[in-house]
């Protein structure tokens, strides 16, 4: 799961790898993160691993419990709804700067990303499609040019992806999911800020409703669930 690291700036580099594992669903919400295992896999001592986990704890992605250790932060449906609400605020605020700053090359890059989403949807590669979907929305924030918005988006995207990773197959029709980005591209081609905001609002509202509804109904439970975890006591999903 993890690669061996060199000594320079170990804590932040360890944190980056753990962050990626959370976002990719390799470390699931509620799962215990063992310092010794990470240290062994990364070829380092436990001290920088502990420092990295404390850094992620300060960002709200890891939680620690006395005598139990570190765990990936768990999110219930209400918390995910709040996170989607914040994401919508960020993306809608970014829209004006995005239209003003977007070059023709930027637009071509966004168009190519949507075509990639369609290809992944057609091939049924749902988990990869989730990653590339967030990459598309990250591009929107990146082109907007506000580094604080981009930093907040990165944290929110990791939280959302870690929650979605529990659900399995996220959307009934991944091809339709990919096509839902077409109105956003059309608004960008027209460089119409107000239409872009409306398309983003509808797109994100639909995504929020879909994911949160699935999350509320999902019957599984992550490994090493802590007492009081919102999924504690539910039966595990079948094979």
């Amino acid at each position: 799961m993890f690669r061996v690291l060199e000594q320079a700036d170990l804590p932040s580099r360890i944190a980056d790898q753990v962050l990626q594992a959370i976002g990719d669903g390799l470390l699931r919400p509620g799962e215990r993160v063992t310092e010794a295992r990470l240290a062994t896999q990364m070829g380092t001592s436990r001290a920088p691993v502990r420092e990295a986990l404390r850094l992620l704890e300060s960002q709200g992605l890891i939680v620690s419990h006395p005598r139990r250790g570190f765990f990936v932060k768990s999110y219930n449906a209400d918390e995910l709804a709040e996170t989607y609400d914040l994401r919508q605020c960020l993306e809608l605020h970014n829209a004006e700067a995005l239209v003003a700053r977007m070059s023709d090359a930027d637009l071509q890059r966004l168009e190519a990303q949507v075509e990639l989403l369609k290809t992944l949807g057609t091939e049924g590669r749902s988990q990869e499609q989730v990653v590339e979907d967030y990459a598309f929305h990250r591009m929107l924030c990146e082109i907007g040019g506000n580094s604080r918005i981009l930093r907040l988006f990165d944290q929110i995207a990791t939280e959302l992806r870690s929650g979605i990773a529990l659900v399995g197959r996220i959307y009934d029709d991944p091809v339709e999911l990919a096509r839902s980005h077409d109105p956003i591209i059309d608004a960008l081609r027209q460089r119409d800020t107000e239409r872009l905001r409306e398309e983003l609002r509808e797109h994100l509202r639909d995504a929020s409703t879909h994911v949160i509804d699935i999350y509320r109904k999902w019957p599984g439970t992550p490994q090493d669930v802590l007492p009081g975890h919102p999924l504690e006591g539910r039966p595990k999903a079948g094979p």
Side-chain angles (χ1 to χ4, degrees), residues 120-147:
L120 294 173
T122 300
E123 296 175 356
R125 294 155 63 184
S126 298
Q127 292 294 340
E128 292 176 66
Q129 191 184 42
V130 170
V131 173
E132 297 302 336
D133 189 346
Y134 280 117
F136 172 80
H137 288 273
R138 189 183 191 279
M139 288 180 192
L140 300 180
C141 295
E142 180 186 4
I143 295 167
N146 187 318
S147 61

Side-chain angles (χ1 to χ4, degrees), residues 57-167:
E57 183 179 24
S58 71
Q59 298 172 1
L61 299 171
I62 292 286
V63 294
S64 63
H65 293 262
R67 297 179 297 279
R68 295 206 51 148
F70 293 96
F71 294 79
V72 179
K73 166 72 175 175
S74 298
Y75 301 94
N76 61 35
D78 291 336
E79 289 174 316
L80 279 177
E82 292 174 355
T83 304
Y84 263 107
D85 184 55
L86 178 55
R87 176 187 175 186
Q88 180 172 304
C89 291
L90 291 174
E91 293 204 45
L92 295 185
H93 181 80
N94 178 68
E96 183 175 358
L98 167 61
V99 170
R101 292 171 54 93
M102 182 183 64
S103 67
D104 290 342
D106 291 328
L107 178 58
Q108 291 173 4
R109 188 160 58 106
L110 292 166
E111 290 171 333
Q113 187 68 13
V114 171
E115 290 306 309
L116 174 59
L117 292 177
K118 293 176 181 177
T119 298
L120 294 173
T122 300
E123 296 175 356
R125 294 155 63 184
S126 298
Q127 292 294 340
E128 292 176 66
Q129 191 184 42
V130 170
V131 173
E132 297 302 336
D133 189 346
Y134 280 117
F136 172 80
H137 288 273
R138 189 183 191 279
M139 288 180 192
L140 300 180
C141 295
E142 180 186 4
I143 295 167
N146 187 318
S147 61
R148 292 180 181 271
I149 286 179
L150 184 60
R151 192 177 307 121
L152 281 171
F153 179 84
D154 283 340
Q155 183 172 340
I156 290 172
T158 300
E159 293 173 3
L160 292 174
R161 282 172 54 196
S162 68
I164 292 171
L166 286 173
V167 181

Side-chain angles (χ1 to χ4, degrees), residues 10 14 26 110 122 127-128 140 150 188 195 218 223 239:
L10 272 178
I14 292 170
L26 300 176
L110 292 166
T122 300
Q127 292 294 340
E128 292 176 66
L140 300 180
L150 184 60
L188 288 169
R195 184 187 169 196
W218 191 77
Q223 301 170 355

Side-chain angles (χ1 to χ4, degrees), residues 1-58:
M1 185 184 301
F2 303 103
R3 64 181 182 275
V4 175
L5 296 176
E6 298 176 358
Q7 293 299 311
D9 197 21
L10 272 178
S12 63
R13 296 174 66 193
I14 292 170
D16 286 343
Q17 284 207 45
V18 175
L19 184 67
Q20 181 175 346
I22 293 171
D24 291 344
L26 300 176
L27 289 172
R28 305 191 302 170
E31 184 173 349
R32 187 176 182 182
V33 184
T34 307
E35 295 176 38
R37 188 183 76 172
L38 263 63
T40 298
Q41 291 183 350
M42 295 183 182
T44 186
S45 67
R46 293 174 62 172
V49 170
R50 188 178 303 112
E51 187 176 345
L53 294 176
R54 291 295 184 193
L55 174 62
L56 293 174
E57 183 179 24
S58 71

